[in-house]
Amino acid sequence: MTSASPQVSPRWRVPLLAAAVLAIVVAPFLLLRASEERLRNAEALVAHSLQVVANLHAASAVVRNIEAASLARALGAETALLDERLRSSHDLVGPLLDKIQDLSRDSPAQQVRLGILRQSISQRIEQLDRLILEGGELDRGELQRLVENFPVQAPITEMVEAEHSLLVQRSTDATRVRRQADWLSGGTMAAQVLLLVVLAWLATRDADRRARAEAASQRANLRAAAVLDTVREPIVLLDKQLRIVMYNVAFGELFGLEDDARGRPLSGIGEGAWDDVETLRRLRDVGGRGRELWDYELRQRTADGIERVMLVNARLMELPDNDDHVALVTASDVSLQKASEEHIRDLNRQLEGKVEQVSDVNRELEAFSYSVSHDLRAPLRHIAGFADKLRRHLGDGIDDKGQHYIEVIGGSAKRMSELIDDLLVYSRLGRSALRLQAVDMQSLVEETRAMLDANAATEMPGHHVDWRIGSMPVLVADENMLRQVWGNLLGNAVKYSAHSEPAVVTVQYRVADSGEHVFTVSDNGAGFDMAYSGKLFGVFQRLHAPSEFSGTGIGLASVKRVVTRHNGRIWAESEPGKGATFHFTLPASLDLGIRSHNA
């Protein structure tokens, strides 16, 4: 994992660059200039000392020249050249002493020595001039007194030695300053080279970083452009004047943009597909006022000549590479959706007509059911009633055949009444609306079991039914319809296992892998041949003779109708003489999330 190198904020780059220039150019220049100034001062002091020494030697020479000329005159030599030599020497001595005094103003000790020297020279010259004027012979003792009383060479030598001491010190200082200047020059050059190398490295790193950033930005732009072109929904970016800034391939294909359309007005593309006053006004509001346009329907004829219904959305967005704002416009083709909606509306209108027809049929069925319930029951009651009266009327005089006939008439009337009741129940199960509520399947099974035990105790005394009921769930369903299901399935299990002793009826529940609720009712009764299982759930279909097991043949058809109305399935498994097993399912959507469990 690479760590990002620290980056300098753009607002600090110019000050840092200026500081680097100062460090590379100005600072070394100032340092070198100061060093050169010190070197010049040191060399000037050396030259100054040399100049003082030179002037002292010149003054000494002038004094000796005056002495020599004065002695020659005193000895009687008189020539114009000698006079000129003496006069010029007199003219030179004063200015030389003044110059030496001016040069040695920085040394009070030298000024004192110069004062003594000036006085000695002045007095010696006066004595020499006096000797020349007197014109007498020179006395060696007088010359000796002149030299001893007015010394000149000693002060000059002392001043020269003092200047030589200063010269040595100043030369040493000058040498040290020159050496420092050389070190400073070399160090400055090395620092400049180092700073230039650092700046070059920083510039190279910044250039590399900028190049990488530009490459990354270019890759990001290419990825964004690839993503934009991959999107099959037409997209276009518009400026405030509704000129095209950018668009994707889907937009270009839909509106026939073969050449680069950037910079063209939106209203000028697609052969007037966008030349709608209201649409352009709304888009200008997006670009100029920052409003948003949502799900605006626009009918357009696109480049393929098909008239489409487009759902236009637009909002303002800021471009990442500058401060300009553009309107992002998407145009979704909802023509198929609109056609589907129109088709759905047509189907709904047709369905409303069908519902009305079904309502009419239901009303007719209700009337028919009422007619069946009322008009058919009355004759049956009459048949059953008069058969009973006929039996009582004949009394003991009736023979066996007559008794049989009367029993057949009564039994047929009773069977017809049960058939009518089952038909009415089957009809209601198909017409009535589902009233969904929480249904405790455990309670329904237990209630049905209690009712069947009571009937068995009355109709088949001594017959025992062994119930094996598992844990049942709580579901959302129509309670009355499910009561009908359990009544028929458990009633059939008891009925068809009447010849088995004891009768064993098992009720189980499980959840399938698909989430369906699976219920199972099995018995150890007569069973049936699976070759006739296709007829099992049909109306009036029976697999046993009425003399063997009573029934109308409508119970299992009613069970299937209830299970189907709850979006479930039902099937059976059996073998003759080995009992039967019925399975039915209810969908997972009816799960209430509550389970009943046995202790």
Side-chain angles (χ1 to χ4, degrees):
M1 181 176 179
T2 59
S3 59
S5 58
Q7 298 185 5
V8 180
S9 174
R11 66 191 185 94
W12 288 105
R13 289 182 179 176
V14 173
L16 289 177
L17 182 60
V21 172
L22 289 175
I24 293 175
V25 179
V26 178
F29 171 76
L30 294 176
L31 292 174
L32 289 175
R33 185 175 178 181
S35 178
E36 290 175 357
E37 185 67 24
R38 291 177 59 199
L39 182 59
R40 282 195 300 269
N41 291 336
E43 291 177 347
L45 290 174
V46 173
H48 179 78
S49 296
L50 293 173
Q51 193 175 5
V52 171
V53 172
N55 281 280
L56 286 170
H57 287 301
S60 176
V62 169
V63 170
R64 286 195 299 269
N65 196 19
I66 292 174
E67 290 177 349
S70 297
L71 290 176
R73 286 287 302 274
L75 291 175
E78 293 185 5
T79 60
L81 180 61
L82 186 61
D83 292 339
E84 179 63 29
R85 178 181 175 186
L86 186 59
R87 186 173 55 254
S88 62
S89 296
H90 276 289
D91 293 338
L92 288 175
V93 68
L96 281 173
L97 293 175
D98 292 339
K99 188 173 183 180
I100 292 171
Q101 184 177 4
D102 185 60
L103 290 172
S104 61
R105 289 186 184 278
D106 58 340
S107 177
Q110 291 289 70
Q111 290 284 307
V112 172
R113 297 186 188 100
L114 182 60
I116 296 171
L117 177 63
R118 184 187 290 275
Q119 186 177 3
S120 296
I121 291 174
S122 177
Q123 291 178 350
R124 180 177 286 195
I125 290 174
E126 288 179 358
Q127 292 296 325
L128 290 174
D129 288 343
R130 182 179 61 78
L131 290 175
I132 293 172
L133 291 176
E134 290 178 354
E137 292 183 2
L138 292 173
D139 185 4
R140 181 180 294 275
E142 187 176 358
L143 289 176
Q144 183 69 28
R145 287 192 302 270
L146 181 65
V147 173
E148 292 176 356
N149 293 332
F150 308 106
V152 173
Q153 292 303 321
I156 289 177
T157 301
E158 187 177 355
M159 289 185 69
V160 169
E161 290 177 354
E163 285 298 329
H164 272 297
S165 298
L166 288 174
L167 180 61
V168 171
Q169 181 181 354
R170 289 173 177 176
S171 297
T172 304
D173 292 341
T175 302
R176 186 179 67 256
V177 170
R178 188 178 295 107
R179 189 180 300 112
Q180 291 176 352
D182 292 340
W183 279 104
L184 181 60
S185 177
T188 302
M189 182 177 296
Q192 287 178 332
V193 171
L194 180 60
L195 286 173
L196 286 174
V197 170
V198 171
L199 284 178
W201 176 74
L202 291 175
T204 303
R205 189 187 67 171
D206 190 62
D208 292 341
R209 183 184 295 128
R210 186 179 296 108
R212 289 194 300 269
E214 290 176 355
S217 177
Q218 186 176 8
R219 288 194 300 270
N221 290 336
L222 292 175
R223 285 195 297 267
V227 172
L228 188 65
D229 289 338
T230 304
V231 176
R232 296 311 303 162
E233 183 173 337
I235 300 175
V236 62
L237 302 182
L238 304 174
D239 60 13
K240 293 182 180 180
Q241 288 73 36
L242 299 187
R243 292 190 299 265
I244 296 177
V245 177
M246 185 180 178
Y247 60 91
N248 66 346
V249 173
F251 187 88
E253 292 177 350
L254 190 63
F255 297 101
L257 302 180
E258 298 179 356
D259 300 328
D260 190 357
R262 287 178 293 183
R264 293 174 57 184
L266 181 66
S267 58
I269 66 170
E271 298 182 357
W274 293 94
D275 192 11
D276 179 73
V277 176
E278 179 63 19
T279 303
L280 296 177
R281 183 189 68 79
R282 290 175 179 264
L283 292 177
R284 286 193 188 94
D285 287 342
V286 173
R289 300 183 181 182
R291 296 182 176 178
E292 295 185 357
L293 183 64
W294 295 106
D295 296 342
Y296 176 71
E297 289 189 9
L298 176 65
R299 290 190 174 273
Q300 294 177 320
R301 186 171 295 277
T302 53
D304 52 8
I306 300 175
E307 184 173 344
R308 304 175 185 270
V309 179
M310 308 300 292
L311 204 62
V312 180
N313 292 275
R315 62 173 302 176
L316 199 64
M317 65 170 288
E318 183 178 350
L319 292 176
D321 54 349
N322 54 48
D323 295 333
D324 293 339
H325 288 76
V326 296
L328 173 65
V329 182
T330 60
S332 305
D333 186 3
V334 294
S335 303
L336 293 178
Q337 179 181 343
K338 286 295 179 182
S340 298
E341 291 177 356
E342 186 63 29
H343 183 61
I344 290 173
R345 282 193 291 269
D346 292 340
L347 292 178
N348 286 336
R349 286 192 292 269
Q350 296 177 12
L351 182 60
E352 290 174 358
K354 297 296 184 181
V355 169
E356 184 63 28
Q357 294 177 7
V358 170
S359 298
D360 293 340
V361 171
N362 283 337
R363 285 191 292 269
E364 293 177 359
L365 287 175
E366 289 289 345
F368 175 74
S369 298
Y370 177 80
S371 175
V372 168
S373 176
H374 184 269
D375 296 342
L376 294 183
R377 284 178 185 275
L380 287 176
R381 285 195 299 271
H382 293 161
I383 293 174
F386 279 103
D388 184 59
K389 287 183 178 182
L390 180 60
R391 184 177 63 253
R392 288 197 304 270
H393 177 71
L394 293 176
D396 296 335
I398 189 173
D399 57 7
D400 293 339
K401 184 177 290 188
Q403 182 69 28
H404 172 70
Y405 291 157
I406 292 174
E407 289 178 356
V408 169
I409 293 172
S412 298
K414 181 179 179 183
R415 176 176 170 77
M416 185 65 180
S417 178
E418 292 174 352
L419 187 61
I420 291 173
D421 290 338
D422 289 346
L423 279 175
L424 290 176
V425 170
Y426 182 76
S427 176
R428 282 196 300 272
L429 292 176
R431 296 194 319 270
S432 60
L434 291 176
R435 290 181 292 182
L436 299 179
Q437 58 183 343
V439 179
D440 188 351
M441 302 292 272
Q442 193 83 41
S443 298
L444 283 184
V445 172
E446 295 294 343
E447 290 176 5
T448 306
R449 168 192 173 180
M451 180 188 66
L452 293 175
D453 282 343
N455 293 339
T458 303
E459 299 174 359
M460 296 178 290
H463 179 63
H464 176 67
V465 179
D466 183 9
W467 295 92
R468 300 176 183 177
I469 301 175
S471 176
M472 297 286 114
V474 177
L475 301 179
V476 176
D478 189 305
E479 184 175 6
N480 291 328
M481 289 188 179
L482 289 182
R483 183 176 283 108
Q484 191 75 25
V485 169
W486 288 116
N488 281 310
L489 290 179
L490 297 181
N492 284 348
V494 171
K495 178 173 64 177
Y496 289 103
S497 60
H499 303 310
S500 300
E501 194 62 45
V504 179
V505 178
T506 303
V507 182
Q508 295 176 326
Y509 162 75
R510 65 182 176 87
V511 179
D513 294 338
S514 61
E516 287 183 317
H517 304 278
V518 182
F519 299 89
T520 303
V521 177
S522 58
D523 60 68
N524 61 343
F528 58 87
D529 190 347
M530 288 295 292
Y532 303 102
S533 61
K535 299 181 179 181
L536 195 61
F537 299 102
V539 180
F540 302 131
Q541 298 294 330
R542 289 179 53 82
L543 302 183
H544 298 85
S547 59
E548 189 177 2
F549 297 102
S550 63
T552 60
I554 300 177
L556 290 179
S558 299
V559 170
K560 184 177 181 181
R561 171 163 286 189
V562 171
V563 172
T564 303
R565 292 203 61 187
H566 283 80
N567 296 321
R569 300 175 294 115
I570 186 169
W571 68 96
E573 300 170 354
S574 180
E575 289 185 27
K578 295 184 179 181
T581 300
F582 286 84
H583 308 274
F584 73 92
T585 68
L586 295 177
S589 59
L590 300 181
D591 192 354
L592 188 64
I594 302 175
R595 295 284 186 273
S596 297
H597 301 281
N598 288 338

